[in-house]
Amino acid sequence: MKANILAIESSCDDTSAAVIQDGNVLSNVTANQKVHEAYGGVVPELASRKHQINIIPVVDAALKKANIEASELNAVAFTKGPGLLGSLLVGVGFAKSFALGLGLPMIEVNHMHAHVLAHFAEDPKPAFPFLCLTVSGGHTQIVLVKDYLDLTVLGNSIDDAAGEAFDKTGKIIGLPYPAGPHIDKLAKEGEVKFSFSEPKVDGLDFSFSGLKTSILYFLQKQVKEDPTFIDKELANICASVQQSIITILMNKLKKASEMYGITEIAIAGGVSANSGLRTALAKTAQELGWNHYIPRFEYCTDNAAMIGVASYYKYLAEIFCNQSVKAEARMAF
Ligand code: KG4
Ligand code: ZN
């Protein structure tokens, strides 16, 4: 018999549902929330309200697209955390009621594990052990992946995440939220003209708050001398900021590869959609003989397919949770 899993993701501002059959993605439907754009960041209260509106239509659409009836499901998977508590509660509450109503087992999934395991949604798949740089709006991690259920964080951001560095810098220069994709686009039209110092952080940990501050001070100084500086230099500022973030990420990834002697290298999370980072990874991979893996855009940003794929390996290992499970905003890895 085939294993059909309905997966739910609602950790931040995307409401997503997917149907996974024997580890393969049959459908992956995501409703994005535009409501936050006007605020320059995700407003938690508005996000949970939108999830409530979107969750049933999104689940219906995922089941229809997969051509699977609710009665054909074998399990319900959901994001337990980390994320915004109000957002997570909508997904967890929905998954509990749905599973209870249909008498299905439930599988809790760690959102950051899922970003890594998104690599198993389709070919080519990395071979174990591999290193994954997970870069999103909330996290920056280097993860050692020895098996589907054996993941260890080797390095973390001690302050802002890489995505936040893009978004916060974007806000300073007047770009809409989330600024990452806008900086990516503008960077292509500019050149790396300005440099910002790389933070000194021990081991495989990251820091991005110093970079944000040095960009802010640099721009304040320039604007004082020429109020039109940001407008005139926008593309060059974007290219320079993007390059600084990429340099920080790539240097730590190279260090991790050297330390662990691993040349199977993957990137995951929303920031892995960045074209500059993708190019830098491909170039380094060629220079250093790495096999590198970058998920398709659909599987980089938040999506339920990655939750479903991650849950499939727990399903095989018969790791289920019960109805007393609760959402966790700060969930240990
Ligand atoms: O993984 P994700 O969708 O959500 C979280 O779990 O946080 O990541 C969202 C982050 C945002 O900070 C967004 O600006 C960034 O990913 N992002 C990008 C690009 N596309 C999305 N950053 C740089 N370049 C991009 N093309
Ligand atoms: Zn994410």
Side-chain angles (χ1 to χ4, degrees):
M1 202 180 75
K2 291 194 182 302
N4 295 321
I5 302 176
L6 171 71
I8 310 291
E9 153 63 30
S10 70
S11 64
C12 190
D13 59 340
D14 294 313
T15 320
S16 187
V19 177
I20 311 298
Q21 186 171 73
D22 290 340
N24 300 310
V25 182
L26 296 187
S27 65
N28 182 37
V29 177
T30 304
N32 306 114
Q33 301 181 0
K34 300 277 169 246
V35 62
H36 308 285
E37 276 171 15
Y39 300 92
V42 176
V43 183
E45 172 73 23
L46 296 179
S48 28
R49 288 184 199 193
K50 277 282 176 195
H51 282 308
Q52 292 203 82
I53 295 166
N54 291 339
I55 191 129
I56 288 177
V58 163
V59 169
D60 270 343
L63 287 168
K64 281 206 181 76
K65 206 167 166 204
N67 204 15
I68 293 283
E69 297 287 334
S71 59
E72 294 174 86
L73 292 171
N74 301 92
V76 180
F78 61 92
T79 307
K80 178 178 169 160
L84 301 171
L85 191 63
S87 290
L88 290 164
L89 283 173
V90 178
V92 175
F94 176 87
K96 281 189 186 190
S97 348
F98 197 83
L100 190 65
L102 291 166
L104 293 171
M106 287 189 293
I107 305 168
E108 59 172 70
V109 175
N110 180 309
H111 182 84
M112 301 312 293
H113 279 198
H115 268 303
V116 175
L117 296 178
H119 282 281
F120 296 93
E122 54 193 11
D123 289 332
K125 295 168 180 146
F128 299 118
F130 68 92
L131 293 173
C132 185
L133 170 71
T134 315
V135 268
S136 73
H139 291 82
T140 307
Q141 297 180 329
I142 294 183
V143 183
L144 170 63
V145 192
K146 289 193 187 151
D147 202 350
Y148 300 111
L149 300 175
D150 185 353
L151 294 85
T152 311
V153 179
L154 305 177
N156 240 318
S157 177
I158 57 169
D159 41 55
D160 290 350
E164 267 178 297
F166 274 104
D167 297 337
K168 288 183 178 171
T169 325
K171 197 171 179 182
I172 298 171
I173 55 178
L175 297 176
Y177 177 86
H182 297 281
I183 293 183
D184 190 355
K185 196 161 164 248
L186 285 159
K188 288 186 188 136
E189 299 155 23
E191 59 179 287
V192 181
K193 212 168 144 185
F194 315 109
S195 63
F196 308 99
S197 63
E198 201 182 327
K200 304 256 175 299
V201 189
D202 287 345
L204 296 174
D205 285 337
F206 298 90
S207 167
F208 288 98
S209 68
L211 176 70
K212 182 192 63 195
T213 313
S214 77
I215 293 166
L216 178 67
Y217 289 164
F218 166 77
L219 291 173
Q220 280 173 343
K221 187 167 166 276
Q222 298 297 327
V223 167
K224 219 175 194 177
E225 284 163 23
D226 174 6
T228 66
F229 179 80
I230 293 179
D231 285 344
K232 278 198 307 219
E233 297 283 350
L234 191 62
N236 296 334
I237 296 168
C238 289
S240 308
V241 167
Q242 178 169 298
Q243 188 52 52
S244 298
I245 297 172
I246 292 171
T247 304
I248 295 171
L249 295 173
M250 288 308 301
N251 283 349
K252 290 284 176 165
L253 199 50
K254 281 188 225 169
K255 190 170 176 180
S257 167
E258 268 171 37
M259 281 171 70
Y260 287 83
I262 294 177
T263 53
E264 287 281 305
I265 310 286
I267 55 171
V271 180
S272 64
N274 184 268
S275 51
L277 179 60
R278 287 171 172 244
T279 308
L281 178 65
K283 194 166 157 272
T284 306
Q286 198 167 27
E287 281 165 13
L288 301 179
W290 293 353
N291 292 322
H292 73 289
Y293 303 87
I294 309 175
R296 206 148 42 88
F297 182 76
E298 188 185 354
Y299 299 135
C300 286
T301 49
D302 288 350
N303 66 88
M306 68 182 192
I307 304 300
V309 170
S311 76
Y312 177 61
Y313 301 102
K314 283 191 155 184
Y315 180 87
L316 292 178
E318 297 184 17
I319 303 173
F320 301 108
C321 62
N322 60 35
Q323 282 282 332
S324 61
V325 63
K326 42 184 207 339
E328 280 179 31
R330 292 182 176 276
M331 190 175 164
F333 194 75

